[in-house]
Amino acid sequence: MSHPHHHEESHECCHDHHHEHHPEGGLHQKLGLIISSAVLLLAAVLIEHTFNLPTWQLLLIYLIPYLLIGYDTLKEAAEGLLHGDAFNEHFLMSVATIGALCIGFLPGAATQFPEAVFVMLFFQVGELFEGYAEGKSKESISHLMDIRPDVANVERNGQVLVVNPEQVSIGETIIIRPGEKVPLDGVVIEGETSLNTVALTGESLPRAITVGDEVISGCVNILGVVRVRTTKDFGESTASKIIRLVQDAGEHKSKSEAFITRFARIYTPIVVLAAVLLAFLPPLLSGHFADTFATWLYRALMFLVVSCPCALVISVPLTFFGGIGGASRHGILVKGANYLDVLSKVRTVVFDKTGTLTHGQFAVEAVHPDQFDEHQLLHLAAHVEHFSTHPIGAALRDAFPEEATDGCRVTEVEEVAGQGIRARVGEQLVCVGNEKMMEAIGAQWHDCTHVGTIIHVAVDGVYAGHIVINDRIKEDSASAIASLGELGVDRLVMLTGDRKAVADDVAKKLGLSEYHAELLPTDKVALVEQYASAHKDGFMAFVGDGINDAPVLARADVGLAMGGLGSDAAIEAADVVLMDDKPSKIALAIRIARRTLAIARQNVWFAIGVKIAVLLLAAFGIATMWMAVFADVGVTVLAVLNAMRALRV
């Protein structure tokens, strides 16, 4: 169990000397438990009742199981004393059990040997449970560590060498075969394949990639062999950044954890002092010190066992650790327990539009021909835009992929600044552009009722129709907005630099009542600050795709970045990274945070309630050592088991 005093360093550290360094530690602990339980049973049932042994001989028999099971705890207590960290729970347990072993030698006192051994035994059972639970929590986060690539196959001087990914420089060519992890971020220069991104995004659907596509480290190559030119070194690659992010998550303590750490620091010395007073004051005041000291010493020892803060010190950080682990399995990376705290109290969510609620990629939404049919109009426009680097050109080419293979000759391509592109397709002169271009050539254009970017087409100076291009709304954006409403998030706002008509159209389709359009990046920061200070009883979350939203993400109470895949600025600036671009994960993140906090609260109230009840009983002499054991170790085991529920989402 963790030391209240070392606890600042991060929850995992305090256990490292326990569970981490000895793979066989769990086994030796279990063996010790079995052997000492058997000896304890033998001593308590057979030896004590069969032979009438003097007290000191009985003590020697009970010392065998006591030292077998308590060796680690006594060693921790001694180390704590040597390092000036006296008030940890190992110390409390050692004092209480050694006291219980010695109490039988006082005049008029009954021996408490079995109780002393049992307290130690049960304490170790608690340790075992905690080790298991922490192992489970770590496992849930360490599945992310599976993304760490082990080797890279790099081409050098005509040979393929197997090297550590850290030894590959930017611009070198690596070969990734089926079944291998992508070791570094880069661009495909030869071959095509599918990548399994499940470790990064929680999504099991493979992503198809071909020449020119970016690949990110941590994915697993499924089908073909690809050659990749690296664009980042190992330390800056996606896998390394995510692993660093997860490892640092333990350093950001939630308010509850920070409170419990401070609480343990102050609480433990007070408890030790109270136990000393309980042992000496009542017998002194009663005037019969010799007769009553043994009774009050026993109560004081019980008081020490009960007051151990293990259940709180362990279960609360473990709950947050579990919550972060559970979220990571769903492709939600939370950078620290404190952000779970904030997420659970979010009342306002502000969205950036492009790349967050929409795909951020233009696509053809409608084709309205005047002279030709839809197929011909798209065919001509796609040919004219064949060499264009503008997103609109890409959208037209995507809508008419046959354009690359139908053998039409395109000549005299000319880009007219601020208007569009004209070119000869076969024998026809085709102009593709905005109203200004139509007016310049005297074509009779007309407007469209659709919202979006309208691309007009004229053939040989005669208006041929128009094509509507729009940014596609993500499939789950509407359901994401609805889920947030159901969770009681009472203010949902969309911000965009886009035109008012486009923003209005998206807001209507998603059921958003509040939006701001035609904003500059500085306007976004000002609005986010305004929303952050408006809510007194809750927090404000900002959701962006991270590339140009870094300042706003950093300014919000909690910043959620979409598409952690690839956007470095997002991973750096956001507090929570949604690895697979799905807005519906925002509601899931809030639900996980609320559930984690609810479990932590249950543990705090349950532990404090049981302890107070047994402490009162102990002070009045009603409680037994068995009750004390339950109030400490039993409560800890139950709290740890409850904390493990945070892992399941």
Side-chain angles (χ1 to χ4, degrees), residues 487-556:
L487 282 174
V489 177
D490 44 27
R491 203 164 186 187
L492 296 159
V493 190
M494 180 178 78
L495 308 182
T496 179
D498 220 329
R499 301 198 323 280
K500 192 172 186 309
V502 175
D504 187 63
D505 182 56
V506 173
K508 279 199 180 87
K509 284 177 182 166
L510 296 179
L512 279 167
S513 54
E514 205 174 334
Y515 67 87
H516 299 271
E518 299 175 20
L519 299 172
L520 296 169
T522 48
D523 302 334
K524 285 187 186 176
V525 176
L527 275 165
V528 163
E529 287 188 341
Q530 193 179 312
Y531 283 117
S533 52
H535 240 300
K536 294 287 168 278
D537 58 337
F539 289 108
M540 194 253 346
F542 177 80
V543 192
D545 62 346
I547 299 160
N548 52 1
D549 297 321
V552 203
L553 282 166
R555 173 59 197 87

Side-chain angles (χ1 to χ4, degrees), residues 219 310 318 330 349 506 529 612 633 638:
C219 300
C310 314
L318 203 58
H330 288 267
V349 178
V506 173
E529 287 188 341
I612 288 173
V633 185
L638 290 172

Side-chain angles (χ1 to χ4, degrees), residues 34-227:
I34 294 164
I35 297 167
S36 47
S37 304
V39 177
L40 174 63
L41 208 67
L42 189 73
V45 176
L46 269 178
I47 300 172
E48 199 169 335
H49 295 294
T50 313
F51 308 103
N52 194 9
L53 297 174
T55 309
W56 67 269
Q57 285 179 353
L58 261 182
L59 172 67
L60 291 177
I61 291 167
Y62 279 106
L63 272 176
I64 299 167
Y66 176 79
L67 291 173
L68 251 175
I69 198 64
Y71 169 76
D72 282 345
T73 307
L74 295 167
K75 185 164 147 264
E76 294 281 349
E79 279 175 9
L81 279 172
L82 291 172
H83 297 135
D85 170 29
F87 298 114
N88 60 48
E89 72 269 30
H90 296 281
F91 174 75
L92 293 183
M93 277 295 156
S94 303
V95 169
T97 50
I98 291 168
L101 289 172
C102 299
I103 205 167
F105 294 97
L106 290 171
T111 58
Q112 302 286 343
F113 302 142
E115 285 87 337
V117 179
F118 192 79
V119 168
M120 207 46 115
L121 191 74
F122 221 74
F123 185 62
Q124 288 299 328
V125 171
E127 290 262 85
L128 208 62
F129 264 95
E130 185 219 338
Y132 172 73
E134 190 166 310
K136 275 282 183 218
S137 289
K138 282 193 171 158
E139 222 172 84
S140 81
I141 283 183
S142 68
H143 82 279
L144 273 174
M145 300 311 173
D146 294 345
I147 66 178
R148 191 195 292 279
D150 312 310
V151 293
N153 307 312
V154 63
E155 283 186 359
R156 286 181 188 157
N157 310 325
Q159 288 181 300
V160 178
L161 307 174
V162 179
V163 299
N164 186 318
E166 291 176 26
Q167 295 166 350
V168 180
S169 337
I170 296 174
E172 288 201 90
T173 301
I174 54 174
I175 293 174
I176 307 159
R177 302 186 182 96
E180 292 181 341
K181 280 184 206 129
V182 176
L184 299 119
D185 295 10
V187 176
V188 179
I189 53 174
E190 189 185 308
E192 50 189 47
T193 184
S194 285
L195 293 182
N196 175 351
T197 63
V198 69
L200 293 171
T201 63
E203 285 298 301
S204 48
L205 211 64
R207 281 175 47 174
I209 57 152
T210 181
V211 175
D213 288 342
E214 282 188 15
V215 294
I216 50 171
S217 52
C219 300
V220 177
N221 184 8
I222 306 173
L223 293 172
V225 177
V226 284
R227 290 173 75 231

Side-chain angles (χ1 to χ4, degrees), residues 345-380:
K345 300 183 188 81
V346 162
R347 290 283 172 273
T348 305
V349 178
V350 179
F351 300 91
D352 177 56
K353 176 182 81 76
T354 311
T356 303
L357 295 170
T358 65
H359 282 284
Q361 293 164 334
F362 284 110
V364 169
E365 197 173 81
V367 182
H368 297 155
D370 271 25
Q371 302 287 331
F372 303 86
D373 64 18
E374 289 187 15
H375 184 268
Q376 285 174 305
L377 193 66
L378 262 179
H379 163 246
L380 291 169

